[in-house]
Amino acid sequence: MGFIDSHSMMRYYIQIVIYNIDERNTITIMSPACIFCNHSDQESPLLSFQYQNEQYWICPEHLPILIHHPEQLADKLPGFQSKFVPAEHS
């Protein structure tokens, strides 16, 4: 069995404990899920990204949407307005 130092343990802990605090200071523990399809990390690998100091996840199936058509995520990311022009591929 390998040795895990306290820094590695803290990093692991921060990655798995996700919570939301609403306006009534109610804490909800949240599991990582794809922002587009809601698949959990038990159903699909998830990639994390940050937007406006919030952490979100996306599965590999929907990663092309984030890259090529981010406007499709506007209703899922509060305050998001796509300023990107999709790349032309030849």
Side-chain angles (χ1 to χ4, degrees):
M1 180 173 257
F3 175 78
I4 299 176
D5 62 36
S6 61
H7 178 72
S8 296
M9 284 298 289
M10 180 58 76
R11 203 169 110 210
Y12 180 72
Y13 180 76
I14 289 170
Q15 288 178 346
I16 63 168
V17 177
I18 297 96
Y19 59 91
N20 182 41
I21 301 175
D22 66 15
E23 61 278 351
R24 293 174 293 195
N25 292 325
T26 302
I27 297 174
T28 306
I29 304 295
M30 301 170 61
S31 297
C34 176
I35 192 171
F36 199 81
C37 67
N38 284 325
H39 281 168
S40 74
D41 60 351
Q42 300 299 309
E43 300 169 284
S44 178
L46 296 175
L47 302 165
S48 68
F49 67 96
Q50 286 191 294
Y51 175 68
Q52 295 185 347
N53 295 320
E54 295 289 331
Q55 187 169 14
Y56 298 92
W57 295 267
I58 196 158
C59 69
E61 180 182 349
H62 294 109
L63 184 59
I65 291 172
L66 180 64
I67 295 169
H68 300 289
H69 300 286
E71 69 279 358
Q72 292 182 21
L73 298 174
D75 63 329
K76 300 176 185 315
L77 295 169
F80 179 78
Q81 293 180 353
S82 180
K83 300 174 185 122
F84 304 105
V85 177
E88 291 291 326
H89 296 284
S90 48

